[in-house]
Amino acid sequence: MYRLSYGILQNEMDAEDAVGEAVIKAYEHLDSLREIDKFRQWIMMITANEAKHIFRKRKRVELTEDVSRYGMSQNDKHDELWDIILTLDEKYRSVIILFYYDQMKIKEISEILHITEGTVKSRMSRAKDILKKQLV
């Protein structure tokens, strides 16, 4: 949940707020969950919505935090990749994080982000193209 909200907001405090709000909302509306096996998808959707709400509320457009201050090694490809993912536009960043880091299926991502499966696939393709260019 934190990884998704941080991927959208790119700010630790806001990401923590989004996760906290999502947990509270999920607890308050637990009775609306129809299928317990879809809990993960349901709570991720709430988290994504909360993060987007905070994003819109604070009207953040640019990256507000310099991730280089965390002292990540340039030799570590995972950290380099994560840094590049954080520079992606939010619509691409969200699908990449949900698919590769949270291991969600295309259909689940579609439902969480309220977009069609085709849109998820095209955003993933575009994001991968951007990542390839930046990693070369």
Side-chain angles (χ1 to χ4, degrees), residues 56-71:
R56 283 189 303 269
K57 182 178 169 186
R58 302 226 173 122
K59 296 180 182 172
R60 295 215 169 127
V61 177
E62 297 180 285
L63 179 66
T64 59
E65 188 172 343
D66 182 14
V67 292
S68 65
R69 72 182 183 157
Y70 295 110

Side-chain angles (χ1 to χ4, degrees), residues 4-55:
L4 172 62
S5 62
Y6 186 82
I8 293 170
L9 297 165
Q10 296 190 0
N11 179 290
E12 289 181 26
M13 299 298 279
D14 289 343
E16 290 171 1
D17 287 346
V19 171
E21 288 297 318
V23 169
I24 290 168
K25 283 192 177 182
Y27 181 75
E28 290 173 346
H29 298 95
L30 195 55
D31 58 331
S32 69
L33 179 62
R34 294 183 204 125
E35 298 176 44
I36 193 70
D37 59 328
K38 295 204 175 196
F39 176 79
R40 182 173 179 228
Q41 181 180 347
W42 179 70
I43 200 158
M44 292 299 276
M45 180 173 59
I46 294 170
T47 303
N49 289 338
E50 281 303 310
K52 288 178 182 180
H53 174 74
I54 291 171
F55 185 82

